[in-house]
Amino acid sequence: MIQKELADFRFKAAWLVRRARIAKLQGVREQMHKDLNLALAELETRINPERPDLTLIFDSGLALAMKRDKELAKKDLSLLQKSGFPARSFLFWNSS
């Protein structure tokens, strides 16, 4: 399913993060890191610092948490918390 979505969508970051989560569960760390790097590169070009899209910040924070980049992940988490983004959305970050 993820492969189809990656082929069909212009923006792929969210699907790459999903595929990275699956790669992690399967123990395919090299693929996980490759997907996370691709996702973060795309998100970097799409996130407008003046008016950030919170769903993009969420994807960025999750990818950073999965890469164990705690400082940048905390920055995204803080921005989401201040914005009122649903707190239950962060529960699985700890398992990433």
Side-chain angles (χ1 to χ4, degrees), residues 13-81:
W15 288 105
L16 288 166
V17 172
R18 289 179 182 109
R19 189 168 74 179
R21 291 182 74 201
I22 291 169
K24 179 182 179 187
L25 291 172
Q26 294 174 336
V28 188
R29 292 252 188 238
E30 186 176 322
Q31 182 65 47
M32 178 190 82
H33 286 288
K34 180 181 174 185
D35 286 343
L36 292 173
N37 288 334
L38 289 169
L40 288 167
E42 177 188 317
L43 290 166
E44 186 177 311
T45 66
R46 293 179 56 204
I47 294 173
N48 177 346
E50 287 81 41
R51 291 182 36 171
D53 179 321
L54 297 178
T55 59
L56 298 179
I57 299 296
F58 178 84
D59 288 338
S60 172
L62 178 56
L64 291 165
M66 289 178 69
K67 285 182 58 111
R68 304 283 188 226
D69 190 335
K70 293 180 182 185
E71 291 306 312
L72 290 177
K74 284 180 186 179
K75 180 180 167 191
D76 285 348
L77 176 61
S78 175
L79 178 62
L80 290 170
Q81 288 172 326

